[in-house]
Amino acid sequence: MLEETDRAFADVVEDVSPAVVHIRTGGTPNGSARVGQVMGQGSGVIYRPDGWIITNDHVVQGNDKVTVVLSDGREMQGTVRRSNDVQNDVAVVKIDAKNLPVARIGDSALVRPGQYAIAIGAPFGLENTVTVGHISALGRSSQVMDVNGGRGYSGMIQTDASINPGNSGGPLVNIRGEVI
């Protein structure tokens, strides 16, 4: 039984990881920066094969342009298409690419406390880092201070899977390999 569980986790990570990207932001809002300067970073997940990526708004930090590092190491310029969604902390990034691997999107309304949760991302710029935990609770709320003053979050999924700085924007995945 433990071997089956071990194999299931590894299979999920192998299936989802190609769709997880590392996002770097440079300099000031709207993308201006000195050469080599990286001001922020985080993770995202490709949800359409034509280069559409979902991430957290706080990852793109108000920038219009970001650098997206794909799981195969390619770096591409990304355009932030929607950001500054303070309530939901959601941003969408578009890169000019085709036939990209995508993550399956699950239904977060079906999540239950006690289920496994797998976090995949790029904390501290280390691509494809994986942690495993459980869903601890649903419907959590929190207030977080940031460069924009603060963000209020509600309806959050609480997990004990480690989500380190820079992992934000990366997917929280269920055992079926669906992003929740």
Side-chain angles (χ1 to χ4, degrees):
M1 184 163 135
L2 287 177
E3 287 180 15
E4 291 172 13
T5 303
D6 186 56
R7 192 173 14 263
F9 282 122
D11 288 348
V12 166
V13 171
E14 187 174 285
D15 186 44
V16 175
S17 288
V20 178
V21 301
H22 177 196
I23 297 174
R24 293 191 311 242
T25 63
T28 61
N30 302 321
S32 62
R34 293 187 303 270
V35 175
Q37 180 183 20
V38 176
M39 294 302 293
Q41 60 185 349
S43 304
V45 63
I46 303 168
Y47 70 95
R48 284 188 26 183
D50 58 346
W52 289 94
I53 299 163
I54 191 165
T55 188
N56 292 113
D57 184 64
H58 74 265
V59 168
V60 296
Q61 300 177 14
N63 288 271
D64 293 333
K65 302 284 185 195
V66 295
T67 300
V68 176
V69 182
L70 301 178
S71 64
D72 63 10
R74 288 183 289 164
E75 292 190 18
M76 307 182 90
Q77 186 74 27
T79 303
V80 179
R81 298 290 179 120
R82 189 175 98 204
S83 65
N84 297 321
D85 184 347
V86 177
Q87 174 133 5
N88 293 307
D89 194 24
V90 175
V92 177
V93 175
K94 175 68 169 95
I95 58 174
D96 188 21
K98 302 280 186 234
N99 301 316
L100 295 173
V102 298
R104 293 186 314 272
I105 306 298
D107 185 346
S108 60
L110 301 177
V111 173
R112 300 180 336 188
Q115 289 181 311
Y116 284 115
I118 304 169
I120 305 172
F124 313 111
L126 303 169
E127 285 88 0
N128 290 316
T129 297
V130 177
T131 62
V132 176
H134 295 86
I135 301 299
S136 303
L138 304 174
R140 297 293 194 216
S141 298
S142 182
Q143 181 75 23
V144 178
M145 299 308 293
D146 68 5
V147 296
N148 297 317
R151 296 175 187 267
Y153 299 102
S154 61
M156 293 188 304
I157 298 171
Q158 179 183 347
T159 180
D160 61 358
S162 294
I163 300 177
N164 297 304
N167 203 35
S168 296
L172 188 60
V173 180
N174 63 23
I175 195 69
R176 292 182 302 281
E178 302 167 331
V179 175
I180 51 173

